[in-house]
């Protein structure tokens, strides 16, 4: 890789966007793009006045025309460049996630200055997702570097499983596929230890890359307050919050989900931790289930729904869904009860989510006493210049 990259020209509007720290150049901000540039190539972004703005991979099919890797005009983007980026991201996890280094997100795309790359670790398996055309072209080198960095630290990684079955790849002109890189023959299931709780992870069929790692620290917050309480975990999925409540010696734990498959997995996780007799698993639509509950039946209600919106176009519909479910929970919790509520939708921004909570409380006739406000786990870092890296909002309130 040399430093003489083809140039594309950026509009004044796009220039302002990049000056604010954005690491994506959008197609509608391109003034001039040479059609002979090969898809996935490295390009330099220049303004109409000849000012250098950044270097990254061009994607001719995506609305995100360039995902910027560097804003240094003299930086050579080669194997050494990528190894340094991977090492930097790994050192960050060793600092903040040392107790969970065997089950954590090692690379979080743009937040780790490796746009289009997600890497999760579950024991001796890495699970990857590549959503950039340019990175897909060099993915063999990226995977080799991942193994190299980890092996140099004495970490034993046996294989890499690709979960490249995400829809965004189609927008990049990439195929959707999954399987072991270089045809490794390894089990696709493993058991991780998350803060003392054992959990089954299926990297082939599980949600996202096999499991939701972004709520690790937040689940422990529930564990610490669950002692002697009656806890309802809504949208429980495979039981992450419910298990932490039971582990924290809750008096009663009910896990509700509409998916019997997810509840079966949650039950297996409970058995793994000898907690099955302390928990009850209920198959029901959460909205319907809450209508059947009595006021004061639970001391703590957890609302961790799937994203109610995945685009700005459906924000109003999502807002009403969040409001409806939160009002139901607020009305059910007696004085002194605790509401744990969150949103994993990037498009449901913090201000809007808090506006919904205030309206819900007012219309429910309750007051919210804030206990804590957190976001995604440390291994999903937030880049303040890119709001796209901030998505999870997590609140604990006491109802008074």
């Amino acid at each position: 890789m040399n430093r003489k990259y083809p140039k594309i020209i950026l509009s004044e509007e796009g220039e302002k966007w990049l000056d604010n720290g954005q690491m994506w150049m959008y197609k509608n901000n391109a003034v001039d793009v040479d059609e002979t540039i090969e898809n996935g190539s490295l390009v330099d972004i220049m303004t109409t006045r000849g000012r250098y703005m950044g270097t990254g991979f061009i994607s001719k099919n995506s609305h995100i025309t360039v995902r910027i890797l560097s804003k240094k005009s003299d930086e050579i983007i080669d194997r050494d460049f990528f190894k340094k980026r991977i090492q930097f991201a790994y050192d960050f996890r060793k600092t903040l996630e040392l107790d969970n280094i065997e089950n954590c997100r090692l690379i979080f795309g743009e937040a780790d200055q490796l746009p289009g790359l997600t890497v999760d670790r579950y024991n001796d398996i890495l699970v990857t997702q590549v959503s950039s055309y340019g990175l897909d072209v060099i993915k063999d080198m990226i995977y080799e570097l991942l193994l190299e960095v980890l092996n140099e630290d004495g970490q034993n990684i046996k294989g890499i499983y690709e979960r490249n079955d995400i829809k965004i790849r189609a927008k990049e002109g990439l195929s959707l596929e999954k399987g072991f890189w270089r045809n490794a023959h390894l089990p696709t299931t493993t058991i991780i230890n998350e803060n003392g709780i054992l959990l089954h992870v299926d990297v082939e069929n599980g949600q996202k890359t096999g499991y939701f790692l972004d709520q690790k620290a937040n689940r422990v917050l529930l564990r610490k307050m669950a002692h002697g309480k009656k806890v309802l975990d809504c949208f429980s999925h495979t039981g992450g919050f419910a298990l932490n409540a039971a582990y924290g010696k809750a008096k009663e734990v009910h896990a509700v989900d509409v998916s019997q498959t997810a509840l079966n997995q949650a039950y297996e996780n409970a058995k793994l931790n000898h907690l099955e007799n302390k928990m009850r698993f209920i198959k029901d639509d959460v909205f319907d289930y809450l209508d059947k509950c009595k006021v004061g039946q639970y001391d703590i209600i957890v609302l961790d729904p799937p994203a109610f919106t995945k685009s700005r176009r459906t924000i109003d519909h999502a807002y009403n869904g969040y409001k409806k479910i939160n009002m139901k929970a607020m009305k059910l919790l007696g004085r002194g009860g605790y509401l744990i509520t969150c949103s994993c939708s990037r498009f449901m921004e913090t201000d809007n989510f808090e506006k919904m909570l205030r309206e819900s409380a007012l219309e429910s006739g309750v007051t919210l006493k804030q206990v804590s406000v957190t976001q995604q786990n440390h291994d999903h870092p937030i880049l303040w210049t890119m709001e796209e890296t901030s998505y999870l909002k997590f609140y604990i309130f006491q109802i008074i």
Side-chain angles (χ1 to χ4, degrees), residues 279-329:
M279 303 171 67
R280 182 182 168 204
F281 301 90
I282 303 166
K283 183 182 181 300
D284 205 344
D285 178 275
V286 169
F287 289 86
D288 294 339
Y289 181 78
L290 290 178
D291 285 337
K292 304 169 190 173
C293 295
K294 298 177 181 178
V295 175
Q297 183 175 339
Y298 296 103
D299 302 307
I300 301 174
I301 296 179
V302 181
L303 300 178
D304 182 24
F308 283 171
T309 178
K310 295 186 178 179
S311 74
R312 297 194 188 280
R313 295 189 302 272
T314 56
I315 282 293
D316 289 344
H317 176 75
Y319 188 97
N320 292 331
Y322 283 117
K323 185 174 178 179
K324 183 178 180 182
I325 198 72
N326 277 275
M327 285 185 66
K328 285 177 182 288

Side-chain angles (χ1 to χ4, degrees), residues 219-235:
R219 295 186 188 107
V220 175
L221 295 177
L222 170 61
R223 182 194 302 185
K224 290 179 178 179
M225 61 189 288
H227 190 278
K229 303 289 194 301
K230 293 177 289 184
V231 179
L232 172 63
D233 179 20
C234 299
F235 310 99

Side-chain angles (χ1 to χ4, degrees), residues 86 89 93 105-109 112 114 117-120 146:
I86 292 169
R93 273 69 184 181
R105 176 151 294 184
L106 295 177
I107 307 290
F108 186 41
D112 286 307
L114 288 165
L117 178 65
T118 297
V119 182
D120 287 343
L146 280 165

Side-chain angles (χ1 to χ4, degrees), residues 38-230:
E38 186 177 351
N39 196 15
S41 298
L42 287 165
V43 296
D44 283 341
I45 302 171
M46 310 294 292
T47 69
T48 54
R49 301 183 307 281
R51 179 186 171 207
Y52 170 82
M53 297 298 294
T55 303
F57 291 119
I58 189 169
S59 177
K60 293 188 172 183
N61 297 301
S62 173
H63 179 58
I64 305 171
T65 298
V66 182
R67 296 172 185 262
I68 298 173
L69 287 162
S70 174
K71 290 189 176 181
K72 295 180 179 179
S73 60
D74 60 347
E75 189 156 37
I76 296 174
I77 299 176
D78 57 8
R79 190 180 191 279
D80 187 54
F81 169 90
F82 285 107
K83 183 172 182 180
K84 288 178 180 177
R85 287 284 168 92
I86 292 169
Q87 184 70 58
F88 192 73
Y90 179 60
D91 289 345
F92 177 84
R93 273 69 184 181
K94 283 193 70 178
T95 300
L96 295 169
E97 285 288 297
L98 190 58
D99 290 343
N100 280 306
I101 198 67
E102 292 188 349
N103 56 290
C104 73
R105 176 151 294 184
L106 295 177
I107 307 290
F108 186 41
E110 283 71 7
D112 286 307
Q113 297 180 296
L114 288 165
L117 178 65
T118 297
V119 182
D120 287 343
R121 178 182 178 182
Y122 303 107
N123 296 326
D124 55 9
I125 296 174
L126 301 184
V127 183
T128 62
Q129 290 184 329
V130 177
S131 56
S132 156
Y133 195 99
L135 272 183
D136 199 75
V137 172
I138 63 167
K139 71 176 185 179
D140 285 351
M141 181 186 74
I142 296 296
Y143 292 168
E144 287 167 1
L145 288 172
L146 280 165
L147 295 175
E148 190 175 307
V149 167
L150 289 165
N151 287 338
E152 285 174 358
D153 190 49
Q155 303 295 317
N156 179 31
I157 303 299
K158 293 181 179 178
I160 295 176
Y161 192 87
E162 296 186 274
R163 280 296 297 265
N164 288 332
D165 52 348
I166 46 176
K167 292 180 181 179
I168 193 172
R169 281 177 61 88
K171 295 179 180 179
E172 293 277 324
L174 296 168
S175 61
L176 274 61
E177 55 200 17
K178 61 181 179 178
F180 274 108
W181 176 58
R182 292 184 174 169
N183 301 313
H185 297 289
L186 297 167
T188 55
T189 59
T190 188
I191 295 173
I192 64 171
N193 184 319
E194 179 185 285
N195 299 311
I197 293 179
L198 302 178
L199 299 157
H200 291 279
V201 173
D202 183 344
V203 301
E204 180 180 12
N205 302 305
Q207 292 288 326
K208 303 295 184 180
T209 63
Y211 180 65
F212 295 107
L213 292 165
D214 54 3
Q215 291 274 31
K216 274 186 294 190
N218 293 331
R219 295 186 188 107
V220 175
L221 295 177
L222 170 61
R223 182 194 302 185
K224 290 179 178 179
M225 61 189 288
H227 190 278
K229 303 289 194 301
K230 293 177 289 184

Side-chain angles (χ1 to χ4, degrees), residues 382-400:
I382 296 168
L383 206 61
W384 271 41
T385 51
M386 279 199 72
E387 63 180 23
E388 292 83 359
T389 62
S390 176
Y391 65 95
L392 183 63
K393 296 149 288 281
F394 186 90
Y395 296 77
I396 302 178
F397 298 104
Q398 186 181 43
I399 302 299
I400 60 173

